[in-house]
Amino acid sequence: MGRVLIKNVNIVNENRVFESDVLLDGESIVKIDRSISDPMAKTIDANGRYLLPGIIDDQVHFREPGLTHKGDIASESRAAVAGGITSFMEQPNTVPQTTTIDKLEEKFARAAETSFANYSFLFGGTNDNLEEIKRLDKNACSGVKLFLGSSTGNMLVDDEAVIEKIFRNTEMVISAHCEDETTIKRNLAHYKEKYGDDIPVKYHPLIRSAEACYLSSSKAIALARKTGARFHVFHLSTGIETDLFRNDIPLEEKKITAEVCIHHLWFSDVDYESKGTLIKWNPAVKTGGDRSKLWEALLDDRIDVIATDHAPHTLEEKDNVYTQAPSGGPLVQHALPAMLQKYHEGVISLEKLVEKMCHNPAKLFQIEKRGFIREGYYADLVLVDLNDPWQVSKSNIAYKCGWSPFEETVFKSKVTHTFVNGHLAYEEGKFPGGRNAKRLTFNR
Ligand code: DOR
């Protein structure tokens, strides 16, 4: 791998943007200085482009094992590095589900062979695997995931006594999908009576309603407060839930945290008309008012991280009536360009974007030596050109499923290079020479 010198770059890191050179040696960043010379190093002249810490995505579904017609660890992690994501945490709703330590280790072994980005996996809590949860090594996996509302994969955990025991017996971050099942079932029955299976998709946010989200997340947060659990609510989608979170203490001191995803920051219910089931997600994309409140909470730090919930399904699967079309869509390749578009629109600063997509996932999950551009840290880096417009089209989509909800969108910013542990994993549309990904480690 040798030494790589990145010259004339604008570093975005720890609330600053500054001009610098950066020297990588092997898998690490060894020097950050205004002017570095190293004739033996391979030199990349960044020519004023912007260097960010590699994005850490705390919620992806890469579909392996068992659902590999939708995506697999190799294909989706490759798309991730094309989008500047250098580390991911994958979810347990695969086939079989990741609900035993053996299954968890099988995923790690598979990722070690095939992943382009650094990897970790969440362990799925169920109504009956508390003993396995207790045996997890807290420094070796990201944490526990609970589906407190059903979604792809039937992993609903609904035994309240068990949920309380999991909250009381887990030191790691417990991440949850929060949607109230009874409310959803009642709403679905109402629309089914009217439309049968062919319910217009625009009713999805009224079936998987704001009320369903709030009921579930507020209840789980109350339990986290009672038990002292370290609790992280995945993919907030409503304005009303944002008031459940605090911004008067630093992230390091928070015991209850929140994530928002790209699709809930980008789309709103008016988009169902043009995009149909392609933007059917759980939780549902809601109103423009909800989206504004999510942005507000993100920018005032009630929401801590931005993630993707990358969840590919084939176009064939999506092309079905409402009740048969699965929820979820692919996002890892386009998350950073989409958020950089919001920077161009004046919605978010580069520093804040880096805080929410790089620093905070590292802090929240206590990931070792990643998420920041610091000497001695792993050289997980993404170089972006803020002014090189390009259009998302089938010809440049890297997902195995071959489609994107962003198709035809023109993004102003482009990822040009992605380094994973000092290795150039992606360069200008190409993946020059293999993989160098590692299992994430944690400092807990
Ligand atoms: O829309 C979603 N799709 N939400 C989830 O929580 C799961 C995901 C999937 O795995 O398809």
Side-chain angles (χ1 to χ4, degrees):
M1 232 157 28
R3 288 199 299 281
V4 178
L5 177 59
I6 308 172
K7 294 222 41 106
N8 307 317
V9 79
N10 285 298
I11 293 183
V12 188
N13 191 49
E14 299 185 76
N15 218 16
R16 286 172 64 207
V17 182
F18 58 101
E19 286 176 33
S20 187
D21 293 349
V22 183
L23 182 65
L24 321 182
D25 192 357
E27 60 189 22
S28 303
I29 299 166
V30 290
K31 198 167 180 188
I32 304 166
D33 200 281
R34 183 69 197 85
S35 178
I36 305 172
S37 81
D38 185 338
M40 302 304 285
K42 171 188 155 89
T43 300
I44 296 172
D45 188 348
N47 220 349
R49 275 174 285 165
Y50 286 72
L51 190 70
L52 282 50
I55 310 297
I56 301 174
D57 191 346
D58 77 359
Q59 193 190 174
V60 303
H61 303 262
F62 281 177
R63 309 304 194 197
E64 190 170 354
L67 300 165
T68 53
H69 65 288
K70 299 175 195 272
D72 55 49
I73 293 173
S75 63
E76 306 314 283
S77 66
R78 195 165 162 275
V81 297
I85 292 170
T86 53
S87 299
F88 65 83
M89 303 188 197
E90 210 266 345
Q91 305 303 304
N93 57 338
T94 46
V95 179
Q97 298 168 343
T98 320
T99 53
T100 66
I101 290 172
D102 286 349
K103 294 289 166 242
L104 179 69
E105 286 307 326
E106 282 172 22
K107 269 194 177 177
F108 275 112
R110 183 68 183 148
E113 284 169 7
T114 65
S115 185
F116 283 75
N118 303 310
Y119 48 89
S120 191
F121 297 93
L122 274 82
F123 184 85
T126 67
N127 282 335
D128 46 36
N129 69 352
L130 179 63
E131 289 313 310
E132 292 267 331
I133 292 175
K134 287 186 186 163
R135 285 177 39 227
L136 288 171
D137 174 350
K138 66 178 184 205
N139 288 322
C141 90
S142 314
V144 174
K145 163 81 175 275
L146 300 180
F147 280 88
L148 301 177
S150 65
S151 194
T152 307
N154 297 325
M155 288 193 70
L156 182 68
V157 192
D158 58 359
D159 182 329
E160 296 199 2
V162 170
I163 296 169
E164 178 154 349
K165 278 190 192 141
I166 295 175
F167 273 49
R168 288 195 187 282
N169 285 284
T170 312
E171 269 181 70
M172 284 179 283
V173 181
I174 300 168
S175 302
H177 178 129
C178 294
E179 287 188 287
D180 182 63
E181 206 51 25
T182 311
T183 308
I184 295 170
K185 279 201 177 127
R186 190 183 61 229
N187 293 340
L188 182 62
H190 169 77
Y191 283 95
K192 264 188 122 169
E193 206 177 290
K194 245 174 136 172
Y195 297 102
D197 281 322
D198 202 2
I199 300 167
V201 195
K202 67 177 179 190
Y203 294 122
H204 188 49
L206 301 180
I207 294 169
R208 291 199 167 244
S209 61
E211 184 198 4
C213 296
Y214 185 80
L215 270 176
S216 175
S217 53
S218 58
K219 188 170 162 191
I221 286 169
L223 183 62
R225 289 209 184 99
K226 181 172 119 182
T227 56
R230 176 66 194 83
F231 187 55
H232 184 46
V233 182
F234 270 165
H235 43 44
L236 283 197
S237 63
T238 70
I240 186 174
E241 288 170 287
T242 58
D243 287 330
L244 295 167
F245 300 90
R246 300 174 60 175
N247 59 2
D248 58 332
I249 50 170
L251 173 56
E252 289 85 344
E253 286 170 31
K254 290 186 186 179
K255 294 208 84 174
I256 296 166
T257 50
E259 174 208 84
V260 65
C261 290
I262 302 296
H263 43 295
H264 295 120
L265 292 173
W266 186 277
F267 298 107
S268 78
D269 56 359
V270 299
D271 298 311
Y272 286 111
E273 182 153 2
S274 60
K275 301 271 177 192
T277 58
L278 297 186
I279 62 160
K280 183 182 185 223
W281 268 283
N282 301 336
V285 166
K286 307 231 171 24
T287 66
D290 287 298
R291 182 176 57 186
S292 303
K293 289 239 163 66
L294 292 170
W295 272 110
E296 210 177 287
L298 178 73
L299 296 174
D300 75 15
D301 295 338
R302 279 171 292 155
I303 297 180
D304 306 285
V305 304
I306 303 174
T308 67
D309 191 10
H310 173 86
H313 297 285
T314 65
L315 271 181
E316 207 183 351
E317 291 164 335
K318 279 290 202 179
D319 187 20
N320 258 306
V321 290
Y322 175 83
T323 55
Q324 307 302 315
S327 293
L331 284 166
V332 282
Q333 191 183 354
H334 304 106
L336 178 57
M339 289 301 100
L340 289 171
Q341 199 73 4
K342 293 292 166 191
Y343 155 73
H344 285 295
E345 289 171 18
V347 178
I348 186 169
S349 69
L350 291 176
E351 295 91 324
K352 201 70 173 172
L353 181 157
V354 161
E355 180 188 320
K356 302 295 180 182
M357 298 185 89
C358 313
H359 304 333
N360 283 1
K363 283 186 188 172
L364 200 153
F365 287 90
Q366 295 162 285
I367 300 170
E368 271 185 326
K369 295 206 288 185
R370 302 189 192 276
F372 296 84
I373 302 182
R374 289 179 180 162
E375 291 175 5
Y377 270 51
Y378 289 107
D380 291 346
L381 299 165
V382 51
L383 191 59
V384 297
D385 192 329
L386 291 181
N387 273 303
D388 187 3
W390 64 289
Q391 187 169 37
V392 180
S393 70
K394 294 248 185 278
S395 65
N396 54 34
I397 287 170
Y399 311 128
K400 194 180 215 179
C401 66
W403 66 274
S404 159
F406 287 113
E407 258 165 80
E408 291 179 23
T409 304
V410 175
F411 288 126
K412 219 173 161 184
S413 309
K414 185 186 266 177
V415 171
T416 64
H417 297 69
T418 306
F419 291 89
V420 177
N421 304 306
H423 172 81
L424 188 55
Y426 174 79
E427 182 182 11
E428 312 270 10
K430 299 202 168 65
F431 303 86
R435 301 166 298 99
N436 187 37
K438 285 178 180 291
R439 177 173 178 156
L440 296 178
T441 52
F442 303 89
N443 212 342
R444 292 171 173 150

